[in-house]
Amino acid sequence: MTQWRSDVLGDEFECCDIDLGEDSEGPLVATLVRALPTPLGFWSRTLGKSRDLENCDILYVHGWSDYFFQKELARFFTQRGARFFAIDLRKYGRSLREGQTFGYIENLDDYDAEIGAAIEIIQAGATTGGGFEIRAQAASKLVLLGHSTGGL
């Protein structure tokens, strides 16, 4: 079961670690961040209207010298009903451990492990809740949003 904890971005965000084993520099983790949902506004509650992206999960993948800190980006999507997640890849941001070379990776294909694990957590979380907006099933749309190297 995924153990979510408070994130450095404040009470609107939570994060969890994804264990990736280790390499010559020590333990490898990726960190999945989730933006807690934006409550429905008055008109949506009153008129029963759905928001445009309610059946969509977003996974943001950062660029080379980066990590996730863009609160406004997350709010853009959650205000429209999407569930927003971001990943700090191994050796970046929240995932960087003491003694590791920032951002070092020999093969971009190695990122498949953490992106795949993040997608599994996102899809599993659609039915388990845990203080998060519960859906009966995983969203029908998953959007991978990549910035710079994250788009590779």
Side-chain angles (χ1 to χ4, degrees):
M1 182 166 175
T2 303
Q3 297 295 315
W4 294 96
R5 65 182 182 281
S6 297
D7 186 65
V8 297
L9 292 178
D11 60 1
E12 298 176 35
F13 295 85
E14 294 178 332
C15 66
C16 70
D17 290 334
I18 300 170
D19 181 18
L20 301 168
E22 58 182 70
D23 68 4
S24 62
E25 294 184 323
L28 293 172
V29 298
T31 308
L32 184 62
V33 179
R34 67 180 179 185
L36 299 177
T38 300
L40 287 172
F42 173 77
W43 293 110
S44 295
R45 283 193 319 269
T46 305
L47 299 176
K49 290 187 175 184
S50 64
R51 296 177 284 183
D52 294 337
L53 299 177
E54 284 188 1
N55 201 24
C56 187
D57 289 336
I58 309 289
L59 176 58
Y60 175 80
V61 184
H62 62 78
W64 178 72
S65 63
D66 210 352
Y67 64 96
F68 177 71
F69 61 89
Q70 298 89 343
K71 293 169 95 169
E72 296 81 11
L73 178 66
R75 285 292 152 240
F76 174 86
F77 287 106
T78 60
Q79 287 170 355
R80 288 156 180 80
R83 293 188 324 151
F84 182 90
F85 299 84
I87 189 166
D88 279 2
L89 299 168
R90 64 182 79 189
K91 301 184 182 184
Y92 284 97
R94 298 163 185 83
S95 303
L96 182 64
R97 301 298 185 252
E98 187 174 331
Q100 292 181 333
T101 305
F102 177 84
Y104 180 76
I105 194 162
E106 292 183 8
N107 188 336
L108 290 177
D109 289 340
D110 291 344
Y111 290 140
D112 288 350
E114 56 240 66
I115 292 171
I119 290 170
E120 287 179 18
I121 292 169
I122 290 167
Q123 291 174 337
T127 58
T128 59
F132 202 57
E133 187 172 321
I134 299 173
R135 293 191 175 133
Q137 58 188 13
S140 67
K141 296 177 186 172
L142 172 66
V143 176
L144 294 177
L145 174 61
H147 167 71
S148 188
T149 302
L152 294 176

